[in-house]
Amino acid sequence: MAHTIEYPCPNCNSELNFDSESQNLRCLHCNTQIPIVSGAEVIEEYQISEYFQASHLPVNELQSMTYRCSKCGKDNISTQDIAFFECQYCGNNVINTEAYRTKPVVPASVVPFEISKEEALNAFQAWIGKGFWNDSDLKKMALNDAMRGYYVPFWTFDSHTESEWSGDSGRYYYVDVTYTDSQGKSQVRQERRTDWTYRSGHFSHFFDDVLISGSKEFDQEIIREIYPFHLNSLKPYQQEYLLGWSAKAYDEDMTRSYNLFRQYIDGRIEHACKELLSEDTFRNLSIETQYSKETFKHMLLPVWHCQYLFKGKPYFLYRQRTDRKDPRKKAVICN
């Protein structure tokens, strides 16, 4: 294919991969390392109007593509949106340079992997050694082939919000109430009352870099569980970072992605306004919000993913770490 590039080792002609430890390209055969020269491009945020324009562009149906390996000569079948793949016969590494151009928006930046498969597997083994999951059968499972590193497509959205809120603020107070018990005796008990006061106010907030997954494969709720991604590690997109890692273009509907962003910030605004309104309780909360200075970026972020079957039930491990100076390591297990 005209749009594929191979990265042979200049020393032994084997395959180069992006190495998470050294942050260089490394040959798995002779260990030759080649630095990646970072681009000088500035990672920009774009006006939301460009996002809306792109979201309304027609998306062509994905086509299959055939790649004839230059090393073994055999044909491989893939789809146009797969950015990196290996020859299924000899393992030759191939970058599909047009994968991200199958969509109206291409990624401008990437956070390169910084954690190796060995570290990811060690985290999994440490996790299963605890509590309910401390199962000898699970520990014996061969999960090396099931653990894969994915560059997941993401959007980040920014928005400045100005919200006018109003409602009834409730303050609890207690009064003595006299009643007659079952034996005909007069008793006194306290009953709670609510003193309602109408209140209104203003809430202003700037939401910066709200992350929304652009992949149907990686659910937004699961992604949120492995936050934070350290976006200060973003680098201008270069295809060399993809070598050896799973990567494909976004497939989530752009309109839905933006709506998820709005739902998220509206929920944050509602929570903040409730806190401002409520003394002990509240009712009839009304919020009117104006949104401005909305921008977006499209990027690729690293996620380790392991899917396996244990005792008849499917489970998943998600993990990421993007800053070696930060000792936090996160894992999310779900079924």
Side-chain angles (χ1 to χ4, degrees), residues 97-167:
T97 62
E98 293 298 301
Y100 293 116
R101 300 189 184 279
T102 61
K103 304 295 182 180
V105 182
V106 299
S109 55
V110 57
V111 173
F113 271 91
E114 294 185 355
I115 179 172
S116 67
K117 176 180 279 192
E118 181 181 3
E119 288 179 283
L121 286 169
N122 287 340
F124 181 84
Q125 295 295 334
W127 174 78
I128 63 175
K130 300 177 181 178
F132 168 78
W133 294 99
N134 191 4
D135 189 295
S136 59
D137 291 336
L138 181 57
K139 292 178 181 179
K140 294 175 184 177
M141 291 180 64
L143 297 170
N144 185 69
D145 292 337
M147 183 75 72
R148 299 183 67 184
Y150 287 80
Y151 278 112
V152 180
F154 272 88
W155 308 100
T156 68
F157 295 100
D158 301 339
S159 182
H160 180 76
T161 62
E162 300 285 347
S163 302
E164 303 294 335
W165 59 265
S166 63

Side-chain angles (χ1 to χ4, degrees), residues 240-270:
E240 288 87 347
Y241 291 119
L242 308 185
L243 288 168
W245 307 85
S246 297
K248 64 182 295 187
Y250 65 88
D251 55 9
E252 186 60 88
D253 180 76
M254 293 179 68
T255 299
R256 182 176 184 273
S257 296
Y258 178 77
N259 288 339
L260 285 173
F261 159 67
R262 275 290 185 92
Q263 291 171 19
Y264 171 75
I265 66 173
D266 286 347
R268 290 277 304 275
I269 292 169
E270 181 180 11

Side-chain angles (χ1 to χ4, degrees), residues 53 55 67 95 113 115 118 138 162-163 168 181 186 198-199 202 208 210 213 229 235 259 284 287 291 310 321:
Q53 291 170 9
S55 68
Y67 159 73
I95 292 289
F113 271 91
I115 179 172
E118 181 181 3
L138 181 57
E162 300 285 347
S163 302
D168 299 323
D181 65 17
S186 180
Y198 175 81
R199 295 181 61 193
H202 183 83
D208 185 34
V210 177
S213 173
F229 286 92
K235 298 180 182 296
N259 288 339
N284 300 329
I287 303 171
Y291 309 87
F310 180 62
R321 185 183 64 181

Side-chain angles (χ1 to χ4, degrees), residues 30-42:
C30 70
N31 208 35
T32 295
Q33 293 195 25
I34 300 175
I36 296 177
V37 180
S38 297
E41 299 89 349
V42 176

Side-chain angles (χ1 to χ4, degrees), residues 200-262:
S200 63
H202 183 83
F203 175 71
S204 176
H205 190 77
F206 178 69
F207 292 92
D208 185 34
D209 283 342
V210 177
L211 279 168
I212 301 295
S213 173
S215 171
K216 293 179 180 178
E217 188 172 357
F218 292 87
D219 180 82
Q220 180 68 17
E221 293 305 314
I222 291 297
I223 287 295
R224 191 166 288 138
E225 290 294 324
I226 59 174
Y227 284 175
F229 286 92
H230 295 173
L231 299 185
N232 57 349
S233 299
L234 277 171
K235 298 180 182 296
Y237 170 77
Q238 290 178 252
Q239 59 196 20
E240 288 87 347
Y241 291 119
L242 308 185
L243 288 168
W245 307 85
S246 297
K248 64 182 295 187
Y250 65 88
D251 55 9
E252 186 60 88
D253 180 76
M254 293 179 68
T255 299
R256 182 176 184 273
S257 296
Y258 178 77
N259 288 339
L260 285 173
F261 159 67
R262 275 290 185 92

